[in-house]
Amino acid sequence: MPLVIYTLLRIALVGAALGVLYLVGLRGWLLPVVAVVVALAVSYLTLGRPRDAATQWMAGRAEQRAARRAATPKIDADAAHEDAQVDEKLRAD
């Protein structure tokens, strides 16, 4: 969720920069280019906390995925062991 909030804040900054630059009189293809550059600078200066929260959230998700991937071989080994026991039992009967 912090990633969504950070993204929405950055989009809002681009929109605000577009509006202000339009009112100042900037037109044409240069308007969106300058608006994105201004929004980038403003977001870097003002959105430190949301950016850190989004980074921590993404790092936590990466750790969760790594933990799931690390657990998979153990689950596969357990399943193989159980299958071998069932096969042995079936052969014995």
Side-chain angles (χ1 to χ4, degrees):
M1 191 59 156
L3 187 61
V4 172
I5 293 170
Y6 178 62
T7 302
L8 291 175
L9 288 171
R10 291 203 55 191
I11 291 171
L13 281 176
V14 172
L18 277 169
V20 169
L21 291 171
Y22 184 82
L23 291 175
V24 169
L26 191 61
R27 304 284 194 275
W29 65 270
L30 201 55
L31 174 63
V33 172
V34 173
V36 167
V37 171
V38 168
L40 176 89
V42 172
S43 72
Y44 180 75
L45 295 173
T46 60
L47 298 180
R49 275 193 206 135
R51 181 176 52 246
D52 291 342
T55 303
Q56 288 175 355
W57 183 79
M58 288 190 306
R61 295 279 297 175
E63 288 175 8
Q64 288 174 352
R65 281 193 305 273
R68 278 195 300 259
R69 263 188 255 120
T72 302
K74 180 174 178 9
I75 292 170
D76 291 341
D78 288 345
H81 179 69
E82 290 171 359
D83 290 346
Q85 286 181 340
V86 168
D87 289 343
E88 260 183 59
K89 178 109 171 127
L90 289 175
R91 282 188 208 123
D93 290 340

